[in-house]
Amino acid sequence: EVQLVESGGGLVKPGGSLRLSCAASGFTFSSYSMNWVRQAPGKGLEWVSSISSSSSYIYYADSVKGRFTISRDNAKNSLYLQMNSLRAEDTAVYYCAREVGYGPLDYWGQGTLVTVSS
Amino acid sequence: SSELTQDPAVSVALGQTVRITCQGDSLRSYYASWYQQKPGQAPVLVIYGKNNRPSGIPDRFSGSSSGNTASLTITGAQAEDEADYYCNSRDSSGNIWVFGTGTKVTVL
């Protein structure tokens, strides 16, 4: 059974940093591109970042470029999102999601809440 | 970057058919995927590609596309289909994912 479990969310002050993790199981993690998607309270889904299976290709939404860094450790079946210079507008539930080939995001974790507030 | 536009809300009578649309220039080049999200839950993929359903998704869900518009149709809507639905696709560069604005479906 495919499982994605996010962790690392919490309350952080504006300008602070946080590192999210996503632990994957039930599939060959190293064969799939992975994504982070966020959802602000009461708002829609916003794609944040993606990383290819071997970390060769990395992309970011303009809203986080230069502040967030996506990475992965295939030996540990884990995906990460380092978030720096956090702003109030980064407050959201952050989901990790598996990408099928060049296609859809077929499995999602349950999300971890990040709150940026003083 | 591309945008994907959806109607904010639609309603459908129990057992009837509802179509949700998603418009955007990138849909001329890429198929849309559709996700169902119920309150407090993670999104679930319901349609992808030309018209493919993941395992476990009822066949009352179907997808289609024409020009710059993708559609999700629920034929014979059930109470449990009440949810937010989001389309998503690549942007024109092919490197970035874009989500639609979301449609709240209410089953009456």
Side-chain angles (χ1 to χ4, degrees):
Chain A
E1 178 193 6
V2 172
Q3 282 198 318
L4 298 169
V5 179
E6 302 91 340
S7 61
L11 175 63
V12 61
K13 289 181 169 54
S17 298
L18 213 52
R19 188 194 196 205
L20 305 184
S21 299
C22 171
S25 61
F27 66 102
T28 304
F29 181 72
S30 59
S31 296
Y32 291 84
S33 293
M34 297 295 295
N35 290 258
W36 287 100
V37 177
R38 69 184 181 183
Q39 186 170 37
K43 302 297 185 182
L45 300 172
E46 180 189 15
W47 174 81
V48 173
S49 182
S50 67
I51 184 168
S52 63
S53 57
S54 60
S55 304
S56 298
Y57 300 97
I58 288 175
Y59 302 101
Y60 298 98
D62 287 344
S63 57
V64 307
K65 201 173 295 182
R67 300 187 299 122
F68 289 11
T69 301
I70 191 172
S71 63
R72 64 190 294 161
D73 185 336
N74 287 342
K76 294 183 177 180
N77 292 337
S78 294
L79 174 73
Y80 306 101
L81 186 67
Q82 177 67 44
M83 304 185 296
N84 298 331
S85 302
L86 283 162
R87 306 166 180 166
E89 53 264 37
D90 295 319
T91 294
V93 173
Y94 285 74
Y95 298 100
C96 65
R98 188 180 83 165
E99 182 178 320
V100 182
Y102 201 64
L105 307 179
D106 66 340
Y107 283 96
W108 297 60
Q110 283 305 301
T112 187
L113 176 62
V114 172
T115 303
V116 184
S117 175
S118 55
Chain B
S1 61
S2 297
E3 294 182 345
L4 296 177
T5 303
Q6 300 179 237
D7 290 331
V10 297
S11 60
V12 57
L14 185 67
Q16 296 304 300
T17 297
V18 62
R19 188 174 73 172
I20 306 163
T21 60
C22 172
Q23 288 190 301
D25 287 341
S26 64
L27 298 179
R28 298 184 186 278
S29 304
Y30 300 99
Y31 285 116
S33 299
W34 290 92
Y35 303 85
Q36 176 193 70
Q37 187 181 34
K38 297 180 180 179
Q41 297 184 19
V44 172
L45 177 67
V46 294
I47 289 289
Y48 66 96
K50 192 173 183 179
N51 181 18
N52 301 298
R53 282 175 290 106
S55 174
I57 300 301
D59 60 5
R60 63 179 178 270
F61 291 90
S62 62
S64 62
S65 183
S66 178
N68 73 336
T69 301
S71 301
L72 172 70
T73 300
I74 308 174
T75 302
Q78 301 299 303
E80 60 264 32
D81 300 334
E82 188 163 288
D84 293 326
Y85 291 83
Y86 296 90
C87 61
N88 119 293
S89 180
R90 295 287 185 177
D91 79 337
S92 54
S93 75
N95 297 324
I96 305 293
W97 286 108
V98 181
F99 282 93
T101 49
T103 298
K104 181 176 182 59
V105 172
T106 300
V107 180
L108 303 173

